[in-house]
Amino acid sequence: MDIHVLTDVAPRSSRPARRAAGGAQRMAAASTRFSTTAIASLCMAMLWTAPAIGQTAPAAATDDAGLVLRSSPRLQEALGSNQRGQMPVFIEGDDLTGQTADMTTVTGNAMLRRADTMIRADRLRYYEPTDTAYADGNVHINRAGSVFDGTELQLQLDSFEGYFKDANYRLLQNNAYGVASQVDFIDRDRSVVHQGTYTTCQRNDEATWTPDWMIRADKISIDTLEEVGVAENAVLEFKGIPILPVPRMSFPLSEKRKSGLLPPTMSLDSDSGFTYSQPYYWNIAPNRDATITPTVMLKRGAALAGEFRYLEPTYRGTLAGLYMPGDKLRDRDRWSWLWQHTSSLDSPIGGLGLNINLKRVSDSDYWHDFQSNGYKLNERLLNSEASVSWSRDDHSLLLRAQKWQTLQDPLSPIVPPYDRMPQLQYRYTPQNLPFGLEATIEADATRFRADENLLRQPNADRGYVQAEISRPFVAPQGFITPKLMLNSRHYGFDNSLYSTVSSKSLTIPTVSLDSGLVFERNTQLFGRNLIQTLEPRAFYTYTPYRDQSMVPVYDTAPYDFSFATIFSSNSFSGYDRIADNNMLTVGATTRFLDADTGAEAARFGIAQRLRFSDQKVVMPGASPANERWSDIMLGAGINWTPKWGFDTTVQFNPDDGRSVRSTMSARYKPGDYKTLAVAYRFQAQTSEQWDVGWQWPVDQIFSDGGKKAKGEGRWYTVGRLNYSMRDKKLVDSVIGLEYAGCCWSSRVVLQRLQNSLVQANTKLLFQIEFTGLTRLTLGSDPLVSMRDNVPGYQMLPTGKGAAVPSRFSNYD
């Protein structure tokens, strides 16, 4: 007859109590065959005398007090070494032999459990003096959710030191698994796999299934505490083919940052030839890290790039740079550097802030020779500025220095902006003024500096004070806001060939009256309950004429004509031109709002200006504005469902009966990783372009019913095409194909971007990502290209970012 045995081997500290128990004293000194009656007596004695799991007794408890239970709202996820050492050992099996404080042997459905470790085998021996378990035959271990299966085991339970032969393993943290000739357990957090494999691919039900990728190595060290693995004498196999032999490689077991080599980047182009970059990541501290990237370009030479990031409670920042000595392409040294820093601090005198954004490159060819650099160092206008700010209550102060580096292209030169060296600005916005008044006072002093010969106007010091006061009257049915503004500014010009006066002062007042009404009614469209609004608006502004033609332009440009600017009192941004406006802007908007949620389902608007007198203040070289009625602005937006969206803005000239400028866009997004966006942009006598962007599963394009293709994984097409109707050619184009599998993904992108009037840059980008291991890239990162160019793009799922499962989710 089979005998079901459950015995409790208590920790060494509880042996005196065990020996005192009557049932324990009756155990024979020699190995003895247990009867059913003896087993029952032994179990009762041990369960009475051994420490109870989840139970504690107060220090002053007596035998008469009984057991005192310790309440806990949840199971304990992690056990400390002291807790684990005090836990009892439970042994279960069909047949048990043993002797006191020595070896206990269990055969047939043998099981040993202690704390978060469970062992099953055909035959199991437990040697109490050394707290060591020996098992053979279908051995299975569950260690806090990580599972090992093999043929022979030796394991010291307390230190978790031992070995496991012919083992299969599966890790709880990332569900990775593999096989090994032997697994050595160093301790509870570290183990070594010998002659083994490693993969995150998950097995399906097919008998012929093999993982898409795996690491095959002589030795794989796994550290679950540091969450990192290291493979030695390894080779990465993909689809059964060795693709990357490596003497030594480390890989993450989670998203935790770690020091080590990052995946290399390789590219091939006509300028640089073959390029190889090998970044090294240094995890300095939880709030500091660095990346060092040596690069070799066969046609140009070697370069070294670096990045340092820091994060503190009151400040954060980045330092980065690149240096290439003796670039063979340009026959000179090439370099770039940047420093970005932001800090804020509360002090007894108010809030203090420091912001630094410094960028510099070696030469004007840098922007197109180093297209793949980060932090927008491939732009032609590089802004460097540093500012200190202070604010307290209604007052704020800003001190800023700003300097531009302009990277010129002889085929398309650009006018450099003025440097501000320095700028001091004060702003006062009082709250809780009487009679419902609102006011703002802004004072600014700036020194503008640039190359006078290039801009053909003098440098200057400019100071201005602009004050505003208004009294809004707001009610549910509408609003009316009268406002008075006063702008006073003074210029001090440098002595130069382009200056005929040394100074100039101007004071210009502006009055405005903004008003609007709101009407609502309940309605229905296409069976949907809606609230329709009608919102007429009228805005009048008057600014008297002051001759400003003798004042150079330092930071001023005309506003773009749009819904955002048509209701403004000035036609220019900046402070060097204050338009002499005497005009009325009228418009109306109607909205359809969902009656239940208030979400905007549709919007239609119209606006137009009526000018009562000519506008004489213009930008240098421009003609006065003398039309009475401006172009009509028309706008519409429809978001009837979350899947569909449509927006359009049209600037219509009623005299010519045609559009001057128009923009139309539509989007369709029925779900994740599915998006289609179409845009049309037109500007008379300048440009006319179509823009199409998409991300879509390929099997939903070519299969009936849009069902998922047979087999694991899915192919996606992604891209963006920008076509110029005027030039009859593609301006920018990005076309790619992506694959998302269960444990790997890949993407290939053909990118052609216009970087000047006559020059375009063409690249072929390729990347393959092995989930939980590494990402190999040929050329620039295609993910960056798709995020920057494809509207609504979503990175395909890779299995990263999932929460680590509890050990109880894989409990035996």
Side-chain angles (χ1 to χ4, degrees):
M1 178 180 70
D2 289 340
I3 300 175
H4 185 74
V5 177
L6 173 63
T7 184
D8 174 10
V9 182
R12 295 168 188 154
S13 60
S14 62
R15 287 177 190 166
R18 169 177 294 173
R19 294 193 183 101
Q25 290 173 342
R26 288 193 293 269
M27 291 188 66
S31 175
T32 305
R33 184 78 173 184
F34 280 71
S35 67
T36 305
T37 305
I39 293 167
S41 301
L42 173 66
C43 293
M44 291 298 295
M46 288 184 172
L47 290 175
W48 180 256
T49 58
I53 301 175
Q55 300 174 4
T56 59
T62 64
D63 292 340
D64 296 336
L67 296 176
V68 178
L69 298 181
R70 180 184 64 197
S71 63
S72 176
R74 60 182 175 84
L75 293 172
Q76 194 168 352
E77 179 64 40
L79 299 174
S81 58
N82 292 334
Q83 289 178 289
R84 192 179 293 108
Q86 294 299 317
M87 291 287 184
V89 175
F90 294 93
I91 299 176
E92 176 183 332
D94 295 339
D95 191 76
L96 182 147
T97 59
Q99 54 188 359
T100 304
D102 196 41
M103 183 74 74
T104 301
T105 302
V106 184
T107 58
N109 297 316
M111 185 186 75
L112 181 149
R113 185 185 299 276
R114 182 176 185 180
D116 54 0
T117 300
M118 189 278 296
I119 304 174
R120 283 203 311 261
D122 293 339
R123 183 172 180 265
L124 189 148
R125 294 174 298 152
Y126 175 68
Y127 186 54
E128 186 179 357
T130 60
D131 196 26
T132 303
Y134 306 86
D136 54 76
N138 298 313
V139 184
H140 173 88
I141 302 179
N142 188 318
R143 185 195 65 185
S146 292
V147 175
F148 301 81
D149 292 282
T151 59
E152 181 182 341
L153 168 71
Q154 176 180 317
L155 183 65
Q156 207 281 333
L157 295 181
D158 190 29
S159 64
F160 210 87
E161 180 181 353
Y163 66 85
F164 205 163
K165 291 186 176 180
D166 302 322
N168 299 317
Y169 66 90
R170 182 178 290 274
L171 305 178
L172 176 71
Q173 282 177 303
N174 59 353
N175 214 20
Y177 66 97
V179 298
S181 63
Q182 180 171 311
V183 176
D184 291 338
F185 299 113
I186 310 302
D187 52 36
R188 297 197 61 83
D189 300 312
R190 295 179 298 160
S191 55
V192 178
V193 175
H194 297 278
Q195 301 297 324
T197 63
Y198 175 91
T199 183
T200 60
C201 298
Q202 303 305 304
R203 179 181 294 276
N204 60 26
D205 297 332
E206 298 179 8
T208 59
W209 179 89
T210 57
D212 287 344
W213 69 266
M214 70 170 65
I215 295 177
R216 193 181 300 275
D218 291 346
K219 179 181 176 182
I220 303 175
S221 301
I222 296 174
D223 190 330
T224 56
L225 181 63
E226 295 296 330
E227 300 177 358
V228 64
V230 178
E232 300 179 25
N233 296 325
V235 61
L236 175 61
E237 296 182 2
F238 180 61
K239 296 293 185 180
I241 301 174
I243 63 171
L244 185 65
V246 285
R248 178 184 173 89
M249 69 177 297
S250 63
F251 52 90
L253 302 181
S254 69
E255 292 293 291
K256 182 179 178 180
R257 303 182 310 172
K258 69 179 187 68
S259 299
L261 295 175
L262 298 178
T265 298
M266 295 165 281
S267 63
L268 182 65
D269 59 51
S270 58
D271 289 336
S272 303
F274 178 75
T275 300
Y276 180 87
S277 298
Q278 178 57 71
Y280 176 82
Y281 179 77
W282 182 16
N283 184 26
I284 302 171
N287 61 334
R288 289 183 179 87
D289 63 11
T291 304
I292 303 169
T293 308
T295 301
V296 176
M297 305 178 187
L298 288 185
K299 290 187 177 182
R300 297 171 57 181
L304 182 65
E307 177 192 59
F308 171 68
R309 301 185 300 179
Y310 54 91
L311 175 64
E312 297 290 347
T314 59
Y315 65 90
R316 64 179 63 191
T318 300
L319 283 164
L322 177 144
Y323 179 69
M324 173 182 280
D327 184 359
K328 300 174 186 177
L329 181 66
R330 301 294 178 185
D331 193 25
R332 60 172 174 262
D333 295 349
R334 314 294 296 278
W335 52 264
S336 66
W337 61 269
L338 70 89
W339 181 24
Q340 295 176 339
H341 176 92
T342 302
S343 62
S344 59
L345 177 67
D346 291 331
S347 72
I349 62 171
L352 300 176
L354 172 64
N355 291 278
I356 299 173
N357 181 22
L358 306 179
K359 298 179 182 180
R360 278 297 180 266
V361 299
S362 57
D363 52 84
S364 291
D365 296 317
Y366 191 94
W367 67 279
H368 55 74
D369 286 348
F370 294 87
Q371 281 287 325
S372 60
N373 63 72
Y375 301 102
K376 297 184 178 180
L377 288 174
N378 54 358
E379 295 180 343
R380 296 183 58 190
L381 280 175
L382 298 179
N383 176 33
S384 293
E385 66 175 272
S387 63
V388 179
S389 61
W390 167 85
S391 62
R392 184 175 183 178
D393 299 330
D394 302 334
H395 306 269
S396 63
L397 193 65
L398 175 71
L399 176 63
R400 177 171 69 164
Q402 181 184 40
K403 191 173 183 62
W404 295 86
Q405 182 181 12
T406 306
L407 309 185
Q408 294 289 4
D409 184 347
L411 298 177
S412 57
I414 55 178
V415 178
Y418 272 89
D419 300 330
R420 303 169 191 259
M421 300 295 289
Q423 177 185 17
L424 179 63
Q425 187 178 89
Y426 167 76
R427 188 176 181 86
Y428 174 56
T429 308
Q431 304 295 320
N432 303 320
L433 289 176
F435 312 113
L437 295 173
E438 295 181 358
T440 299
I441 299 176
E442 184 176 286
D444 185 286
T446 304
R447 182 171 179 83
F448 293 99
R449 289 294 177 266
D451 187 345
E452 294 183 347
N453 296 325
L454 183 62
L455 296 176
R456 297 185 177 276
Q457 62 182 32
N459 294 329
D461 298 331
R462 186 192 69 189
Y464 73 81
V465 176
Q466 180 164 293
E468 301 180 6
I469 186 167
S470 62
R471 174 52 169 98
F473 297 90
V474 181
Q477 63 271 23
F479 69 94
I480 182 169
T481 304
K483 180 186 288 187
L484 172 64
M485 293 182 290
L486 185 68
N487 179 280
S488 180
R489 62 189 192 272
H490 174 81
Y491 295 85
F493 302 109
D494 289 356
N495 294 326
S496 71
L497 298 175
Y498 307 99
S499 175
T500 58
V501 295
S502 61
S503 63
K504 179 66 177 178
S505 297
L506 292 164
T507 299
I508 305 174
T510 298
V511 295
S512 66
L513 182 65
D514 195 6
S515 60
L517 297 173
V518 179
F519 302 95
E520 292 184 358
R521 67 168 186 147
N522 295 322
T523 186
Q524 271 195 344
L525 283 177
F526 306 105
R528 184 175 179 180
N529 294 326
L530 299 168
I531 298 174
Q532 182 186 7
T533 70
L534 179 62
E535 305 167 35
R537 182 180 178 184
F539 176 80
Y540 174 77
T541 182
Y542 174 75
T543 303
Y545 171 71
R546 296 292 186 270
D547 185 11
Q548 302 167 55
S549 59
M550 77 297 295
V551 177
V553 173
Y554 297 102
D555 65 352
T556 300
Y559 273 132
D560 195 21
F561 191 67
S562 65
F563 274 104
T565 61
I566 196 171
F567 289 96
S568 62
S569 58
N570 192 13
S571 304
F572 306 100
S573 65
Y575 295 91
D576 298 315
R577 292 291 185 272
I578 304 296
D580 55 320
N581 287 325
N582 182 14
M583 61 186 182
L584 174 68
T585 303
V586 292
T589 301
T590 181
R591 307 174 196 270
F592 292 88
L593 310 176
D594 188 278
D596 298 323
T597 65
E600 185 180 272
R603 178 192 73 255
F604 303 92
I606 184 173
Q608 188 178 23
R609 280 176 173 172
L610 172 61
R611 193 178 297 278
F612 299 107
S613 60
D614 295 349
Q615 179 185 314
K616 300 176 184 178
V617 177
V618 295
M619 294 292 289
S623 301
N626 52 20
E627 77 282 355
R628 287 295 172 261
W629 287 99
S630 70
D631 295 339
I632 301 174
M633 290 298 302
L634 300 169
I638 300 175
N639 296 278
W640 198 256
T641 70
K643 297 180 180 180
W644 288 93
F646 174 80
D647 284 282
T648 183
T649 303
V650 177
Q651 181 180 341
F652 180 77
N653 188 319
D655 297 331
D656 298 339
R658 63 178 184 179
S659 171
V660 176
R661 184 175 54 184
S662 57
T663 300
M664 302 179 186
S665 63
R667 61 167 179 82
Y668 175 56
K669 188 174 178 60
D672 289 337
Y673 319 110
K674 299 178 186 177
T675 181
L676 176 64
V678 180
Y680 171 77
R681 302 180 185 91
F682 169 79
Q683 188 164 353
Q685 301 179 350
T686 303
S687 65
E688 184 178 7
Q689 294 182 346
W690 281 94
D691 200 289
V692 181
W694 71 90
Q695 181 185 22
W696 208 265
V698 173
D699 60 294
Q700 292 205 359
I701 299 175
F702 298 106
S703 64
D704 295 334
K707 295 182 179 179
K708 187 177 183 294
K710 183 180 179 181
E712 295 182 355
R714 169 170 282 183
W715 289 95
Y716 294 79
T717 178
V718 61
R720 172 178 170 248
L721 299 176
N722 181 253
Y723 183 77
S724 173
M725 302 283 289
R726 183 183 180 90
D727 301 323
K728 299 188 183 304
K729 68 174 185 179
L730 281 172
V731 179
D732 293 331
S733 56
V734 176
I735 300 176
L737 192 64
E738 291 186 287
Y739 174 81
C742 70
C743 59
W744 67 281
S745 61
S746 66
R747 49 195 63 91
V748 57
V749 174
L750 179 63
Q751 170 185 290
R752 182 185 183 276
L753 301 178
Q754 200 81 18
N755 54 21
S756 70
L757 293 176
V758 296
Q759 188 180 15
N761 184 276
T762 302
K763 292 183 179 181
L764 180 64
L765 315 176
F766 174 77
Q767 187 177 79
I768 184 169
E769 179 175 358
F770 302 102
T771 303
L773 181 68
T774 190
R775 181 184 293 168
L776 302 178
T777 302
L778 180 63
S780 301
D781 191 345
L783 280 173
V784 176
S785 175
M786 289 185 288
R787 289 194 196 106
D788 292 345
N789 293 285
V790 179
Y793 172 79
Q794 287 181 280
M795 182 177 173
L796 299 182
T798 61
K800 292 184 177 182
V804 176
S806 166
R807 66 183 176 95
F808 298 107
S809 64
N810 192 23
Y811 186 81
D812 279 325

